Amino acid sequence: MRARTDSDGSENSARPRTQYPQPPYKKQSQKWPGLASDMDPVPDHGEKTYKGSGRLNGRKALITGGDSGMGRAAAIAYAREGADVAINYLPDEEQDAKQVIELIKAEGRVAVAIPGDLRSEAFCQEMVAKAVKDLGGLDILVNNAGRQQTQASIMDITSEAFDATMKTNIYAPFWTIKAALPHLKPGSVIIGTSSEQAMDPSAELYDYAQTKAATTNYVKSLAKQLAPKGIRVNAVAPGPIWTPLQVSGGATMEKLEKFGGMTPLGRAGQPAELGSIYVQLAAADASYATGQVYGSAGGSGQP
Ligand code: NAD
Ligand code: MG
């Protein structure tokens, strides 16, 4: 049977393969944590495409790593769905963060910028306090920030580097959730960003991959613990997505060139393709979903 044809002449059935750039990608690398605006091609976070329909009207969200990548896609989508949004990011990412703040404000929503390093418990507490104060409450917490550095051998991972990955990916959500919990009323949600690495770790991501297994695990534990309070806890598990984390994470150029090419869809995903998943998990009509991991990996991996 012939596939239906779009007005632009493309075949619908082929679009998930062809609607975004495919490998080979241009060779590029940035210093950690990198900037979305300096990537080539610049990632799509849904700036021109995401359309809201009031699914998060009046909600108040804090998103870590909200300047770029999945966090930025979630921030844009949340604002267009009617939520006020606070974003956290590293001070070096001010340029990306400013764009997100402007996009949230353009929707007529409150936008709060909270730069700072999540590897400090004191900062995690200050961040939550500022979000609660400036948003006037909190009912969506997205623990999305992450550190990924490729090392071919465990022998090359220093204790400092290992510690930085654990602090960013495991301790920061722990500290942030503890600070946020007293403010979260029934109906609130916590969302973590896990990865296909949780179940299918790459050889060169020894430290990072185990933090993603921890993320999937804490989401399931906390979902059970917080269900009696009416707070839902879920995770998103992306596959290879075109974000600064990938071009500033020390991956070899050969790997980056082919990034996502091994997935059944044959390309890297774009953050924009995951924004609606963060909305779905936060929306009140997903009221029976808790302790779940929603995968989006181009046909590869398992959440
Ligand atoms: P990204 O670079 O856009 O986002 C990561 C963000 O983490 C940065 O923008 C930065 O603001 C934040 N961050 C890192 N260290 C921090 C620190 N110490 N303090 C405060 N903020 C810090 O890349 P992304 O790929 O969108 O990453 C978002 C999440 O998605 C991460 O948890 C990552 O592990 C996960 N993930 C990414 C992929 C992928 O292929 N890109 C795949 C699976 C999971
Ligand atoms: Mg960033």
Side-chain angles (χ1 to χ4, degrees):
M1 198 176 87
R2 247 184 80 76
R4 227 155 37 84
T5 304
D6 273 351
S7 53
D8 64 1
S10 64
E11 290 191 343
N12 276 335
S13 58
R15 291 195 59 134
R17 294 185 66 82
T18 57
Q19 74 193 84
Y20 282 114
Q22 298 142 54
Y25 299 105
K26 281 190 191 146
K27 292 187 175 162
Q28 57 201 285
S29 78
Q30 293 187 40
K31 195 170 138 276
W32 178 261
L35 289 174
S37 28
D38 288 347
M39 289 176 69
D40 183 10
V42 171
D44 180 5
H45 311 89
E47 287 88 343
K48 296 206 171 82
T49 48
Y50 192 90
K51 287 191 179 63
S53 57
R55 296 190 73 196
L56 303 177
N57 265 344
R59 304 284 295 273
K60 295 165 192 317
L62 167 61
I63 305 173
T64 64
D67 59 302
S68 58
M70 262 69 79
R72 177 175 177 142
I76 293 169
Y78 281 10
R80 291 189 185 168
E81 294 290 357
D84 295 328
V85 185
I87 59 165
N88 156 254
Y89 50 92
L90 286 164
D92 284 353
E93 300 172 302
E94 194 62 47
Q95 191 183 318
D96 277 353
K98 268 198 182 125
Q99 295 173 353
V100 180
I101 292 295
E102 288 314 312
L103 287 160
I104 298 167
K105 284 186 182 161
E107 300 305 313
R109 308 309 317 178
V110 175
V112 183
I114 317 181
D117 194 324
L118 293 167
R119 292 175 296 171
S120 145
E121 180 171 12
F123 173 72
C124 291
Q125 291 168 346
E126 285 160 27
M127 169 182 73
V128 170
K130 183 166 170 56
V132 169
K133 183 166 165 283
D134 292 2
L135 295 172
L138 185 66
D139 54 24
I140 302 173
L141 170 62
V142 183
N143 289 305
N144 166 75
R147 177 184 192 275
Q148 176 187 299
Q149 292 291 308
T150 300
Q151 287 293 0
S153 167
I154 186 173
M155 301 305 284
D156 296 326
I157 303 175
T158 63
S159 294
E160 289 71 25
F162 187 82
D163 190 57
T165 302
M166 299 297 142
K167 286 270 162 49
T168 311
N169 300 8
I170 298 182
Y171 277 79
F174 168 62
W175 291 326
T176 304
I177 291 166
K178 280 176 69 175
L181 211 44
H183 304 282
L184 301 183
K185 299 198 171 69
S188 298
V189 299
I190 298 171
I191 299 171
T193 302
S194 185
S195 169
E196 60 178 355
Q197 290 289 327
M199 297 295 177
D200 187 15
S202 297
E204 68 281 4
L205 291 175
Y206 169 84
D207 53 346
Y208 172 84
Q210 61 183 286
T211 69
K212 293 298 154 177
T215 302
T216 289
N217 197 278
Y218 92 64
V219 158
K220 289 175 183 287
S221 164
L222 214 52
K224 291 173 187 161
Q225 189 182 126
L226 299 183
K229 292 186 194 294
I231 298 169
R232 297 185 296 109
V233 190
N234 293 290
V236 180
I241 312 296
W242 188 246
T243 69
L245 175 126
Q246 295 295 352
V247 299
S248 66
T252 63
M253 289 301 151
E254 294 65 38
K255 279 232 157 111
L256 262 187
E257 252 190 320
K258 296 185 207 146
F259 189 56
M262 300 302 277
T263 65
L265 286 180
R267 63 169 174 86
Q270 294 290 325
E273 299 180 278
L274 285 88
S276 64
I277 300 174
Y278 288 85
V279 170
Q280 173 63 16
L281 292 176
D285 57 7
S287 40
Y288 202 53
T290 194
Q292 303 300 311
V293 181
Y294 195 131
S296 185
S300 69
Q302 40 176 308

